[in-house]
Amino acid sequence: MTVVASADALTRAIQTSFFHALSHGHKKAVPYRHWLMSNVLPNDAALEIFNLPIVAPEGLVFSGRRETNNASRTYFDADNRQRFPAVRALAEAFQSSETVAFIERECGTDLTGTNLRVEYCQDAEGFWLEPHTDIGVKKFTMSLFLCRGEGAGDLGTDIFDTDKKWVARAPSDFNTAMLFIPSNITYHGFQDRRFNAVRKSLIINYVTQEWRNRHELAYPETPVRGQA
């Protein structure tokens, strides 16, 4: 019972921290609507996720697309929810109908019937992403940065306009995030740059039932409850 109570308490703490971060975040309108947030998770939870004993993949191919390395990608799936209390707590927090309803109100979107997908990214120097949009099956995207060490604040997502011209870079200090609702203008990527340590982050999505790779989902058989 003690472990369950502790996990439940951590879930509630993650919700509270995220709610505060989003409601007090910086809402930007250019080149598309997005939010920049700080202190997204309780610091202890952020550190626990940063320190997860998940080995960073090796031998990656950097082509400008994450799917090139699909076989090496890690998700907060059913197995990892069972292995790690912090993974379970975060997944439960974002699966919660209360969290979903809060996102819908704050961001003016509808996540009804979507599934939670959380990727644990550990990028090495040489990594880059071409400007692209998250559209179609992705209905929500948040990049939560878990970067530490020298230069950590310059490892955020790059933001582009519809001509794929660079506009800005999201700050990426530890436990900060960028959030947007995908559309055909939400161009973003990651320009090649030097960094010494592994670039850790979470990509949190809500995706539609058309998502094919069900094993990536936190709760493959349980869509979230959105607006009535």
Side-chain angles (χ1 to χ4, degrees), residues 6-21 38-50 86 89-90 93-94 142 144-146 174-176 202:
S6 177
D8 289 345
L10 183 55
T11 295
R12 291 193 295 271
I14 289 172
Q15 284 181 300
T16 299
S17 186
F18 171 68
F19 291 176
H20 185 272
S38 58
N39 300 313
V40 180
L41 304 179
N43 193 60
D44 288 350
L47 286 171
E48 190 168 347
I49 292 171
F50 175 84
L90 184 136
F94 282 89
M142 182 172 79
L144 171 57
F145 306 112
L146 298 172
F174 188 75
N175 203 17
T176 62
L202 298 182

PDB file of all heavy atoms in Angstrom, residues 6-21 38-50 86 89-90 93-94 142 144-146 174-176 202:
ATOM      1  N   SER A   6       2.539   6.255  -2.667  1.00  0.00           N
ATOM      2  CA  SER A   6       3.622   7.108  -3.110  1.00  0.00           C
ATOM      3  C   SER A   6       3.519   7.393  -4.606  1.00  0.00           C
ATOM      4  O   SER A   6       3.715   8.518  -5.047  1.00  0.00           O
ATOM      5  CB  SER A   6       4.968   6.437  -2.790  1.00  0.00           C
ATOM      6  OG  SER A   6       6.038   7.220  -3.275  1.00  0.00           O
ATOM      7  N   ALA A   7       3.211   6.357  -5.380  1.00  0.00           N
ATOM      8  CA  ALA A   7       3.066   6.536  -6.819  1.00  0.00           C
ATOM      9  C   ALA A   7       1.899   7.455  -7.130  1.00  0.00           C
ATOM     10  O   ALA A   7       1.987   8.329  -8.008  1.00  0.00           O
ATOM     11  CB  ALA A   7       2.878   5.177  -7.493  1.00  0.00           C
ATOM     12  N   ASP A   8       0.790   7.286  -6.411  1.00  0.00           N
ATOM     13  CA  ASP A   8      -0.362   8.156  -6.619  1.00  0.00           C
ATOM     14  C   ASP A   8      -0.026   9.598  -6.275  1.00  0.00           C
ATOM     15  O   ASP A   8      -0.457  10.530  -6.955  1.00  0.00           O
ATOM     16  CB  ASP A   8      -1.538   7.677  -5.773  1.00  0.00           C
ATOM     17  CG  ASP A   8      -2.130   6.367  -6.288  1.00  0.00           C
ATOM     18  OD1 ASP A   8      -1.826   6.004  -7.435  1.00  0.00           O
ATOM     19  OD2 ASP A   8      -2.884   5.730  -5.537  1.00  0.00           O
ATOM     20  N   ALA A   9       0.733   9.787  -5.206  1.00  0.00           N
ATOM     21  CA  ALA A   9       1.130  11.133  -4.806  1.00  0.00           C
ATOM     22  C   ALA A   9       2.008  11.771  -5.873  1.00  0.00           C
ATOM     23  O   ALA A   9       1.873  12.965  -6.168  1.00  0.00           O
ATOM     24  CB  ALA A   9       1.852  11.088  -3.461  1.00  0.00           C
ATOM     25  N   LEU A  10       2.914  10.985  -6.466  1.00  0.00           N
ATOM     26  CA  LEU A  10       3.782  11.512  -7.515  1.00  0.00           C
ATOM     27  C   LEU A  10       2.967  11.877  -8.749  1.00  0.00           C
ATOM     28  O   LEU A  10       3.221  12.899  -9.393  1.00  0.00           O
ATOM     29  CB  LEU A  10       4.865  10.491  -7.868  1.00  0.00           C
ATOM     30  CG  LEU A  10       5.902  10.927  -8.907  1.00  0.00           C
ATOM     31  CD1 LEU A  10       6.576  12.231  -8.495  1.00  0.00           C
ATOM     32  CD2 LEU A  10       6.934   9.832  -9.122  1.00  0.00           C
ATOM     33  N   THR A  11       1.977  11.059  -9.081  1.00  0.00           N
ATOM     34  CA  THR A  11       1.096  11.382 -10.209  1.00  0.00           C
ATOM     35  C   THR A  11       0.411  12.717  -9.984  1.00  0.00           C
ATOM     36  O   THR A  11       0.369  13.571 -10.882  1.00  0.00           O
ATOM     37  CB  THR A  11       0.043  10.271 -10.390  1.00  0.00           C
ATOM     38  OG1 THR A  11       0.700   9.061 -10.758  1.00  0.00           O
ATOM     39  CG2 THR A  11      -0.952  10.638 -11.478  1.00  0.00           C
ATOM     40  N   ARG A  12      -0.129  12.914  -8.797  1.00  0.00           N
ATOM     41  CA  ARG A  12      -0.808  14.175  -8.491  1.00  0.00           C
ATOM     42  C   ARG A  12       0.165  15.348  -8.523  1.00  0.00           C
ATOM     43  O   ARG A  12      -0.173  16.444  -9.006  1.00  0.00           O
ATOM     44  CB  ARG A  12      -1.487  14.090  -7.124  1.00  0.00           C
ATOM     45  CG  ARG A  12      -2.692  13.137  -7.102  1.00  0.00           C
ATOM     46  CD  ARG A  12      -3.499  13.331  -5.832  1.00  0.00           C
ATOM     47  NE  ARG A  12      -2.730  12.964  -4.650  1.00  0.00           N
ATOM     48  CZ  ARG A  12      -2.680  11.746  -4.131  1.00  0.00           C
ATOM     49  NH1 ARG A  12      -3.332  10.745  -4.712  1.00  0.00           N
ATOM     50  NH2 ARG A  12      -1.979  11.506  -3.046  1.00  0.00           N
ATOM     51  N   ALA A  13       1.384  15.134  -8.039  1.00  0.00           N
ATOM     52  CA  ALA A  13       2.380  16.202  -8.048  1.00  0.00           C
ATOM     53  C   ALA A  13       2.758  16.584  -9.474  1.00  0.00           C
ATOM     54  O   ALA A  13       2.948  17.767  -9.788  1.00  0.00           O
ATOM     55  CB  ALA A  13       3.623  15.764  -7.271  1.00  0.00           C
ATOM     56  N   ILE A  14       2.873  15.597 -10.360  1.00  0.00           N
ATOM     57  CA  ILE A  14       3.182  15.869 -11.763  1.00  0.00           C
ATOM     58  C   ILE A  14       2.041  16.666 -12.396  1.00  0.00           C
ATOM     59  O   ILE A  14       2.275  17.635 -13.134  1.00  0.00           O
ATOM     60  CB  ILE A  14       3.435  14.554 -12.514  1.00  0.00           C
ATOM     61  CG1 ILE A  14       4.774  13.948 -12.072  1.00  0.00           C
ATOM     62  CG2 ILE A  14       3.430  14.779 -14.031  1.00  0.00           C
ATOM     63  CD1 ILE A  14       5.036  12.556 -12.614  1.00  0.00           C
ATOM     64  N   GLN A  15       0.802  16.274 -12.123  1.00  0.00           N
ATOM     65  CA  GLN A  15      -0.334  17.025 -12.652  1.00  0.00           C
ATOM     66  C   GLN A  15      -0.301  18.470 -12.190  1.00  0.00           C
ATOM     67  O   GLN A  15      -0.432  19.402 -13.000  1.00  0.00           O
ATOM     68  CB  GLN A  15      -1.645  16.382 -12.196  1.00  0.00           C
ATOM     69  CG  GLN A  15      -2.013  15.115 -12.923  1.00  0.00           C
ATOM     70  CD  GLN A  15      -3.340  14.564 -12.406  1.00  0.00           C
ATOM     71  OE1 GLN A  15      -3.473  14.246 -11.228  1.00  0.00           O
ATOM     72  NE2 GLN A  15      -4.318  14.468 -13.294  1.00  0.00           N
ATOM     73  N   THR A  16      -0.125  18.670 -10.899  1.00  0.00           N
ATOM     74  CA  THR A  16      -0.128  20.021 -10.336  1.00  0.00           C
ATOM     75  C   THR A  16       0.966  20.879 -10.959  1.00  0.00           C
ATOM     76  O   THR A  16       0.745  22.045 -11.325  1.00  0.00           O
ATOM     77  CB  THR A  16       0.048  19.966  -8.816  1.00  0.00           C
ATOM     78  OG1 THR A  16      -1.032  19.232  -8.240  1.00  0.00           O
ATOM     79  CG2 THR A  16       0.086  21.359  -8.209  1.00  0.00           C
ATOM     80  N   SER A  17       2.153  20.304 -11.090  1.00  0.00           N
ATOM     81  CA  SER A  17       3.280  21.039 -11.652  1.00  0.00           C
ATOM     82  C   SER A  17       3.031  21.392 -13.117  1.00  0.00           C
ATOM     83  O   SER A  17       3.277  22.525 -13.553  1.00  0.00           O
ATOM     84  CB  SER A  17       4.552  20.202 -11.511  1.00  0.00           C
ATOM     85  OG  SER A  17       5.687  20.936 -11.919  1.00  0.00           O
ATOM     86  N   PHE A  18       2.520  20.437 -13.884  1.00  0.00           N
ATOM     87  CA  PHE A  18       2.231  20.682 -15.297  1.00  0.00           C
ATOM     88  C   PHE A  18       1.132  21.732 -15.462  1.00  0.00           C
ATOM     89  O   PHE A  18       1.227  22.627 -16.315  1.00  0.00           O
ATOM     90  CB  PHE A  18       1.830  19.385 -15.985  1.00  0.00           C
ATOM     91  CG  PHE A  18       1.310  19.585 -17.381  1.00  0.00           C
ATOM     92  CD1 PHE A  18       2.157  20.008 -18.396  1.00  0.00           C
ATOM     93  CD2 PHE A  18      -0.039  19.379 -17.671  1.00  0.00           C
ATOM     94  CE1 PHE A  18       1.673  20.208 -19.694  1.00  0.00           C
ATOM     95  CE2 PHE A  18      -0.521  19.575 -18.951  1.00  0.00           C
ATOM     96  CZ  PHE A  18       0.329  19.998 -19.962  1.00  0.00           C
ATOM     97  N   PHE A  19       0.085  21.636 -14.668  1.00  0.00           N
ATOM     98  CA  PHE A  19      -0.997  22.620 -14.754  1.00  0.00           C
ATOM     99  C   PHE A  19      -0.462  24.032 -14.525  1.00  0.00           C
ATOM    100  O   PHE A  19      -0.806  24.973 -15.242  1.00  0.00           O
ATOM    101  CB  PHE A  19      -2.084  22.322 -13.715  1.00  0.00           C
ATOM    102  CG  PHE A  19      -2.886  21.081 -13.975  1.00  0.00           C
ATOM    103  CD1 PHE A  19      -3.847  20.664 -13.068  1.00  0.00           C
ATOM    104  CD2 PHE A  19      -2.685  20.310 -15.114  1.00  0.00           C
ATOM    105  CE1 PHE A  19      -4.589  19.519 -13.291  1.00  0.00           C
ATOM    106  CE2 PHE A  19      -3.413  19.156 -15.349  1.00  0.00           C
ATOM    107  CZ  PHE A  19      -4.374  18.759 -14.431  1.00  0.00           C
ATOM    108  N   HIS A  20       0.370  24.188 -13.513  1.00  0.00           N
ATOM    109  CA  HIS A  20       0.943  25.509 -13.207  1.00  0.00           C
ATOM    110  C   HIS A  20       1.838  25.975 -14.350  1.00  0.00           C
ATOM    111  O   HIS A  20       1.790  27.140 -14.757  1.00  0.00           O
ATOM    112  CB  HIS A  20       1.726  25.448 -11.898  1.00  0.00           C
ATOM    113  CG  HIS A  20       2.255  26.784 -11.455  1.00  0.00           C
ATOM    114  ND1 HIS A  20       3.486  27.279 -11.867  1.00  0.00           N
ATOM    115  CD2 HIS A  20       1.698  27.744 -10.655  1.00  0.00           C
ATOM    116  CE1 HIS A  20       3.683  28.462 -11.336  1.00  0.00           C
ATOM    117  NE2 HIS A  20       2.621  28.773 -10.596  1.00  0.00           N
ATOM    118  N   ALA A  21       2.657  25.063 -14.881  1.00  0.00           N
ATOM    119  CA  ALA A  21       3.590  25.439 -15.953  1.00  0.00           C
ATOM    120  C   ALA A  21       2.848  25.902 -17.201  1.00  0.00           C
ATOM    121  O   ALA A  21       3.233  26.906 -17.826  1.00  0.00           O
ATOM    122  CB  ALA A  21       4.505  24.260 -16.282  1.00  0.00           C
ATOM    123  N   SER A  38       8.355  26.430 -18.114  1.00  0.00           N
ATOM    124  CA  SER A  38       9.466  26.055 -17.237  1.00  0.00           C
ATOM    125  C   SER A  38       8.917  25.323 -16.017  1.00  0.00           C
ATOM    126  O   SER A  38       7.717  25.402 -15.718  1.00  0.00           O
ATOM    127  CB  SER A  38      10.259  27.293 -16.803  1.00  0.00           C
ATOM    128  OG  SER A  38       9.413  28.213 -16.129  1.00  0.00           O
ATOM    129  N   ASN A  39       9.798  24.579 -15.337  1.00  0.00           N
ATOM    130  CA  ASN A  39       9.411  23.804 -14.147  1.00  0.00           C
ATOM    131  C   ASN A  39       8.172  22.958 -14.443  1.00  0.00           C
ATOM    132  O   ASN A  39       7.190  22.967 -13.687  1.00  0.00           O
ATOM    133  CB  ASN A  39       9.154  24.742 -12.962  1.00  0.00           C
ATOM    134  CG  ASN A  39      10.382  25.549 -12.593  1.00  0.00           C
ATOM    135  OD1 ASN A  39      11.481  24.998 -12.482  1.00  0.00           O
ATOM    136  ND2 ASN A  39      10.216  26.844 -12.429  1.00  0.00           N
ATOM    137  N   VAL A  40       8.240  22.194 -15.509  1.00  0.00           N
ATOM    138  CA  VAL A  40       7.081  21.438 -15.983  1.00  0.00           C
ATOM    139  C   VAL A  40       6.739  20.288 -15.041  1.00  0.00           C
ATOM    140  O   VAL A  40       5.572  20.022 -14.762  1.00  0.00           O
ATOM    141  CB  VAL A  40       7.331  20.932 -17.407  1.00  0.00           C
ATOM    142  CG1 VAL A  40       6.144  20.130 -17.924  1.00  0.00           C
ATOM    143  CG2 VAL A  40       7.635  22.098 -18.345  1.00  0.00           C
ATOM    144  N   LEU A  41       7.748  19.598 -14.563  1.00  0.00           N
ATOM    145  CA  LEU A  41       7.566  18.493 -13.625  1.00  0.00           C
ATOM    146  C   LEU A  41       8.133  18.879 -12.268  1.00  0.00           C
ATOM    147  O   LEU A  41       8.986  19.767 -12.169  1.00  0.00           O
ATOM    148  CB  LEU A  41       8.296  17.239 -14.117  1.00  0.00           C
ATOM    149  CG  LEU A  41       7.956  16.709 -15.510  1.00  0.00           C
ATOM    150  CD1 LEU A  41       8.802  15.480 -15.802  1.00  0.00           C
ATOM    151  CD2 LEU A  41       6.477  16.402 -15.633  1.00  0.00           C
ATOM    152  N   PRO A  42       7.709  18.227 -11.192  1.00  0.00           N
ATOM    153  CA  PRO A  42       8.431  18.390  -9.931  1.00  0.00           C
ATOM    154  C   PRO A  42       9.901  18.033 -10.158  1.00  0.00           C
ATOM    155  O   PRO A  42      10.204  17.078 -10.885  1.00  0.00           O
ATOM    156  CB  PRO A  42       7.747  17.379  -9.007  1.00  0.00           C
ATOM    157  CG  PRO A  42       6.412  17.121  -9.625  1.00  0.00           C
ATOM    158  CD  PRO A  42       6.604  17.255 -11.104  1.00  0.00           C
ATOM    159  N   ASN A  43      10.799  18.778  -9.551  1.00  0.00           N
ATOM    160  CA  ASN A  43      12.215  18.579  -9.856  1.00  0.00           C
ATOM    161  C   ASN A  43      12.686  17.159  -9.580  1.00  0.00           C
ATOM    162  O   ASN A  43      13.454  16.584 -10.359  1.00  0.00           O
ATOM    163  CB  ASN A  43      13.066  19.573  -9.057  1.00  0.00           C
ATOM    164  CG  ASN A  43      14.490  19.629  -9.568  1.00  0.00           C
ATOM    165  OD1 ASN A  43      14.726  19.957 -10.735  1.00  0.00           O
ATOM    166  ND2 ASN A  43      15.450  19.313  -8.712  1.00  0.00           N
ATOM    167  N   ASP A  44      12.201  16.552  -8.506  1.00  0.00           N
ATOM    168  CA  ASP A  44      12.602  15.179  -8.183  1.00  0.00           C
ATOM    169  C   ASP A  44      12.157  14.204  -9.272  1.00  0.00           C
ATOM    170  O   ASP A  44      12.892  13.277  -9.622  1.00  0.00           O
ATOM    171  CB  ASP A  44      12.019  14.757  -6.839  1.00  0.00           C
ATOM    172  CG  ASP A  44      12.706  15.443  -5.660  1.00  0.00           C
ATOM    173  OD1 ASP A  44      13.749  16.086  -5.877  1.00  0.00           O
ATOM    174  OD2 ASP A  44      12.186  15.338  -4.530  1.00  0.00           O
ATOM    175  N   ALA A  45      10.952  14.414  -9.797  1.00  0.00           N
ATOM    176  CA  ALA A  45      10.459  13.540 -10.861  1.00  0.00           C
ATOM    177  C   ALA A  45      11.271  13.732 -12.132  1.00  0.00           C
ATOM    178  O   ALA A  45      11.610  12.765 -12.825  1.00  0.00           O
ATOM    179  CB  ALA A  45       8.982  13.819 -11.128  1.00  0.00           C
ATOM    180  N   ALA A  46      11.597  14.980 -12.453  1.00  0.00           N
ATOM    181  CA  ALA A  46      12.407  15.251 -13.641  1.00  0.00           C
ATOM    182  C   ALA A  46      13.784  14.594 -13.528  1.00  0.00           C
ATOM    183  O   ALA A  46      14.288  14.001 -14.491  1.00  0.00           O
ATOM    184  CB  ALA A  46      12.552  16.754 -13.846  1.00  0.00           C
ATOM    185  N   LEU A  47      14.385  14.673 -12.352  1.00  0.00           N
ATOM    186  CA  LEU A  47      15.686  14.050 -12.139  1.00  0.00           C
ATOM    187  C   LEU A  47      15.601  12.531 -12.216  1.00  0.00           C
ATOM    188  O   LEU A  47      16.493  11.875 -12.767  1.00  0.00           O
ATOM    189  CB  LEU A  47      16.255  14.468 -10.780  1.00  0.00           C
ATOM    190  CG  LEU A  47      16.781  15.902 -10.689  1.00  0.00           C
ATOM    191  CD1 LEU A  47      17.097  16.255  -9.242  1.00  0.00           C
ATOM    192  CD2 LEU A  47      18.024  16.078 -11.569  1.00  0.00           C
ATOM    193  N   GLU A  48      14.532  11.962 -11.679  1.00  0.00           N
ATOM    194  CA  GLU A  48      14.376  10.511 -11.724  1.00  0.00           C
ATOM    195  C   GLU A  48      14.244  10.028 -13.171  1.00  0.00           C
ATOM    196  O   GLU A  48      14.820   9.005 -13.549  1.00  0.00           O
ATOM    197  CB  GLU A  48      13.167  10.079 -10.902  1.00  0.00           C
ATOM    198  CG  GLU A  48      13.074   8.579 -10.700  1.00  0.00           C
ATOM    199  CD  GLU A  48      12.047   8.166  -9.665  1.00  0.00           C
ATOM    200  OE1 GLU A  48      11.566   9.049  -8.919  1.00  0.00           O
ATOM    201  OE2 GLU A  48      11.747   6.963  -9.592  1.00  0.00           O
ATOM    202  N   ILE A  49      13.495  10.759 -13.981  1.00  0.00           N
ATOM    203  CA  ILE A  49      13.355  10.388 -15.388  1.00  0.00           C
ATOM    204  C   ILE A  49      14.676  10.594 -16.126  1.00  0.00           C
ATOM    205  O   ILE A  49      15.074   9.771 -16.948  1.00  0.00           O
ATOM    206  CB  ILE A  49      12.208  11.194 -16.026  1.00  0.00           C
ATOM    207  CG1 ILE A  49      10.874  10.747 -15.429  1.00  0.00           C
ATOM    208  CG2 ILE A  49      12.198  11.020 -17.545  1.00  0.00           C
ATOM    209  CD1 ILE A  49       9.696  11.610 -15.811  1.00  0.00           C
ATOM    210  N   PHE A  50      15.366  11.682 -15.816  1.00  0.00           N
ATOM    211  CA  PHE A  50      16.683  11.920 -16.420  1.00  0.00           C
ATOM    212  C   PHE A  50      17.638  10.767 -16.119  1.00  0.00           C
ATOM    213  O   PHE A  50      18.435  10.367 -16.988  1.00  0.00           O
ATOM    214  CB  PHE A  50      17.263  13.232 -15.883  1.00  0.00           C
ATOM    215  CG  PHE A  50      18.660  13.522 -16.349  1.00  0.00           C
ATOM    216  CD1 PHE A  50      18.897  14.132 -17.570  1.00  0.00           C
ATOM    217  CD2 PHE A  50      19.750  13.181 -15.552  1.00  0.00           C
ATOM    218  CE1 PHE A  50      20.188  14.405 -18.000  1.00  0.00           C
ATOM    219  CE2 PHE A  50      21.048  13.438 -15.976  1.00  0.00           C
ATOM    220  CZ  PHE A  50      21.264  14.056 -17.211  1.00  0.00           C
ATOM    221  N   ALA A  86       8.559   6.320 -11.773  1.00  0.00           N
ATOM    222  CA  ALA A  86       8.406   7.670 -12.328  1.00  0.00           C
ATOM    223  C   ALA A  86       7.741   7.632 -13.699  1.00  0.00           C
ATOM    224  O   ALA A  86       6.974   8.536 -14.045  1.00  0.00           O
ATOM    225  CB  ALA A  86       9.764   8.365 -12.426  1.00  0.00           C
ATOM    226  N   ALA A  89       4.053   7.057 -13.040  1.00  0.00           N
ATOM    227  CA  ALA A  89       3.397   8.256 -12.523  1.00  0.00           C
ATOM    228  C   ALA A  89       3.173   9.281 -13.624  1.00  0.00           C
ATOM    229  O   ALA A  89       2.101   9.894 -13.710  1.00  0.00           O
ATOM    230  CB  ALA A  89       4.237   8.856 -11.399  1.00  0.00           C
ATOM    231  N   LEU A  90       4.167   9.485 -14.480  1.00  0.00           N
ATOM    232  CA  LEU A  90       4.000  10.452 -15.564  1.00  0.00           C
ATOM    233  C   LEU A  90       2.930   9.992 -16.549  1.00  0.00           C
ATOM    234  O   LEU A  90       2.082  10.789 -16.981  1.00  0.00           O
ATOM    235  CB  LEU A  90       5.328  10.676 -16.290  1.00  0.00           C
ATOM    236  CG  LEU A  90       5.265  11.752 -17.377  1.00  0.00           C
ATOM    237  CD1 LEU A  90       6.467  12.675 -17.314  1.00  0.00           C
ATOM    238  CD2 LEU A  90       5.153  11.147 -18.777  1.00  0.00           C
ATOM    239  N   ALA A  93      -0.432  10.510 -15.061  1.00  0.00           N
ATOM    240  CA  ALA A  93      -0.776  11.935 -15.007  1.00  0.00           C
ATOM    241  C   ALA A  93      -1.324  12.427 -16.338  1.00  0.00           C
ATOM    242  O   ALA A  93      -2.320  13.158 -16.384  1.00  0.00           O
ATOM    243  CB  ALA A  93       0.445  12.759 -14.594  1.00  0.00           C
ATOM    244  N   PHE A  94      -0.683  12.034 -17.431  1.00  0.00           N
ATOM    245  CA  PHE A  94      -1.115  12.518 -18.744  1.00  0.00           C
ATOM    246  C   PHE A  94      -2.245  11.683 -19.340  1.00  0.00           C
ATOM    247  O   PHE A  94      -2.903  12.122 -20.285  1.00  0.00           O
ATOM    248  CB  PHE A  94       0.078  12.609 -19.693  1.00  0.00           C
ATOM    249  CG  PHE A  94       0.920  13.823 -19.454  1.00  0.00           C
ATOM    250  CD1 PHE A  94       1.979  13.792 -18.556  1.00  0.00           C
ATOM    251  CD2 PHE A  94       0.635  15.011 -20.101  1.00  0.00           C
ATOM    252  CE1 PHE A  94       2.737  14.927 -18.309  1.00  0.00           C
ATOM    253  CE2 PHE A  94       1.385  16.158 -19.864  1.00  0.00           C
ATOM    254  CZ  PHE A  94       2.439  16.114 -18.962  1.00  0.00           C
ATOM    255  N   MET A 142       4.272  17.920 -27.224  1.00  0.00           N
ATOM    256  CA  MET A 142       5.062  18.664 -26.248  1.00  0.00           C
ATOM    257  C   MET A 142       6.440  18.037 -26.149  1.00  0.00           C
ATOM    258  O   MET A 142       6.568  16.830 -25.927  1.00  0.00           O
ATOM    259  CB  MET A 142       4.402  18.666 -24.867  1.00  0.00           C
ATOM    260  CG  MET A 142       5.201  19.489 -23.840  1.00  0.00           C
ATOM    261  SD  MET A 142       4.360  19.716 -22.252  1.00  0.00           S
ATOM    262  CE  MET A 142       4.676  18.133 -21.475  1.00  0.00           C
ATOM    263  N   LEU A 144       9.577  17.998 -23.875  1.00  0.00           N
ATOM    264  CA  LEU A 144      10.012  18.317 -22.511  1.00  0.00           C
ATOM    265  C   LEU A 144      11.513  18.068 -22.442  1.00  0.00           C
ATOM    266  O   LEU A 144      11.972  16.929 -22.570  1.00  0.00           O
ATOM    267  CB  LEU A 144       9.258  17.452 -21.507  1.00  0.00           C
ATOM    268  CG  LEU A 144       9.710  17.488 -20.048  1.00  0.00           C
ATOM    269  CD1 LEU A 144       9.679  18.902 -19.496  1.00  0.00           C
ATOM    270  CD2 LEU A 144       8.848  16.566 -19.205  1.00  0.00           C
ATOM    271  N   PHE A 145      12.268  19.131 -22.257  1.00  0.00           N
ATOM    272  CA  PHE A 145      13.722  19.045 -22.325  1.00  0.00           C
ATOM    273  C   PHE A 145      14.324  18.658 -20.973  1.00  0.00           C
ATOM    274  O   PHE A 145      14.006  19.247 -19.941  1.00  0.00           O
ATOM    275  CB  PHE A 145      14.303  20.380 -22.800  1.00  0.00           C
ATOM    276  CG  PHE A 145      13.711  20.849 -24.100  1.00  0.00           C
ATOM    277  CD1 PHE A 145      12.897  21.970 -24.138  1.00  0.00           C
ATOM    278  CD2 PHE A 145      13.924  20.137 -25.266  1.00  0.00           C
ATOM    279  CE1 PHE A 145      12.334  22.400 -25.327  1.00  0.00           C
ATOM    280  CE2 PHE A 145      13.365  20.552 -26.464  1.00  0.00           C
ATOM    281  CZ  PHE A 145      12.561  21.679 -26.491  1.00  0.00           C
ATOM    282  N   LEU A 146      15.193  17.661 -21.004  1.00  0.00           N
ATOM    283  CA  LEU A 146      15.879  17.175 -19.808  1.00  0.00           C
ATOM    284  C   LEU A 146      17.388  17.300 -20.025  1.00  0.00           C
ATOM    285  O   LEU A 146      18.152  16.384 -19.737  1.00  0.00           O
ATOM    286  CB  LEU A 146      15.474  15.735 -19.519  1.00  0.00           C
ATOM    287  CG  LEU A 146      13.987  15.531 -19.228  1.00  0.00           C
ATOM    288  CD1 LEU A 146      13.656  14.042 -19.142  1.00  0.00           C
ATOM    289  CD2 LEU A 146      13.574  16.237 -17.936  1.00  0.00           C
ATOM    290  N   PHE A 174      17.016  22.636 -18.190  1.00  0.00           N
ATOM    291  CA  PHE A 174      16.439  21.441 -17.579  1.00  0.00           C
ATOM    292  C   PHE A 174      15.005  21.681 -17.113  1.00  0.00           C
ATOM    293  O   PHE A 174      14.707  22.653 -16.437  1.00  0.00           O
ATOM    294  CB  PHE A 174      17.304  20.994 -16.400  1.00  0.00           C
ATOM    295  CG  PHE A 174      16.901  19.674 -15.815  1.00  0.00           C
ATOM    296  CD1 PHE A 174      17.198  18.489 -16.473  1.00  0.00           C
ATOM    297  CD2 PHE A 174      16.212  19.610 -14.607  1.00  0.00           C
ATOM    298  CE1 PHE A 174      16.821  17.261 -15.936  1.00  0.00           C
ATOM    299  CE2 PHE A 174      15.838  18.392 -14.060  1.00  0.00           C
ATOM    300  CZ  PHE A 174      16.144  17.217 -14.734  1.00  0.00           C
ATOM    301  N   ASN A 175      14.099  20.769 -17.528  1.00  0.00           N
ATOM    302  CA  ASN A 175      12.707  20.773 -17.102  1.00  0.00           C
ATOM    303  C   ASN A 175      11.903  21.923 -17.713  1.00  0.00           C
ATOM    304  O   ASN A 175      10.949  22.415 -17.110  1.00  0.00           O
ATOM    305  CB  ASN A 175      12.604  20.804 -15.569  1.00  0.00           C
ATOM    306  CG  ASN A 175      11.283  20.273 -15.050  1.00  0.00           C
ATOM    307  OD1 ASN A 175      10.540  19.601 -15.748  1.00  0.00           O
ATOM    308  ND2 ASN A 175      10.997  20.598 -13.790  1.00  0.00           N
ATOM    309  N   THR A 176      12.280  22.349 -18.905  1.00  0.00           N
ATOM    310  CA  THR A 176      11.484  23.295 -19.678  1.00  0.00           C
ATOM    311  C   THR A 176      10.830  22.545 -20.832  1.00  0.00           C
ATOM    312  O   THR A 176      11.171  21.392 -21.116  1.00  0.00           O
ATOM    313  CB  THR A 176      12.333  24.446 -20.230  1.00  0.00           C
ATOM    314  OG1 THR A 176      13.333  23.923 -21.125  1.00  0.00           O
ATOM    315  CG2 THR A 176      13.024  25.210 -19.107  1.00  0.00           C
ATOM    316  N   LEU A 202      11.695  14.269 -23.510  1.00  0.00           N
ATOM    317  CA  LEU A 202      10.480  13.493 -23.716  1.00  0.00           C
ATOM    318  C   LEU A 202       9.672  14.158 -24.817  1.00  0.00           C
ATOM    319  O   LEU A 202       9.551  15.386 -24.837  1.00  0.00           O
ATOM    320  CB  LEU A 202       9.620  13.443 -22.449  1.00  0.00           C
ATOM    321  CG  LEU A 202      10.196  12.791 -21.195  1.00  0.00           C
ATOM    322  CD1 LEU A 202       9.151  12.817 -20.080  1.00  0.00           C
ATOM    323  CD2 LEU A 202      10.653  11.370 -21.463  1.00  0.00           C
TER     324      LEU A 202
END
